[in-house]
Amino acid sequence: MKKILAFLVLLAAALWGGCGGGGGGGFSGTVTAPAGASVQGTVVLACFYLEASDDCDSQKSKEVTLNTAGRTASFSIEGLAAGDYL
């Protein structure tokens, strides 16, 4: 279940980055789990995209792990370098 949540969060982040959200700074949002599940332990990843290698730069990427038990939790990732993110 956590893998599915992580995938959905990554998908949302990819769509965010593809819409011009990669100008630096940060972003925030809310993760919602399916009924009966918890978001606790879900990792939200802002992956700094390197087009030349089609990979992520681990030095510029940031992540947060949700420690809140329950169906929904807010997150914020700040201090991102200017660029494109997945």
Side-chain angles (χ1 to χ4, degrees), residues 1-67:
M1 182 61 69
K2 288 183 183 178
K3 288 182 181 181
I4 292 171
L5 290 174
F7 173 76
L8 294 175
V9 170
L10 289 174
L11 177 61
L15 293 174
W16 169 83
C19 294
F27 72 102
S28 60
T30 302
V31 176
T32 302
S38 174
V39 296
Q40 188 171 24
T42 300
V43 175
V44 180
L45 173 66
C47 176
F48 187 89
Y49 181 65
L50 299 170
E51 185 175 1
S53 61
D54 193 30
D55 202 358
C56 293
D57 181 336
S58 62
Q59 298 282 313
K60 293 182 180 178
S61 298
K62 293 191 176 193
E63 67 180 44
V64 295
T65 301
L66 303 179
N67 294 316

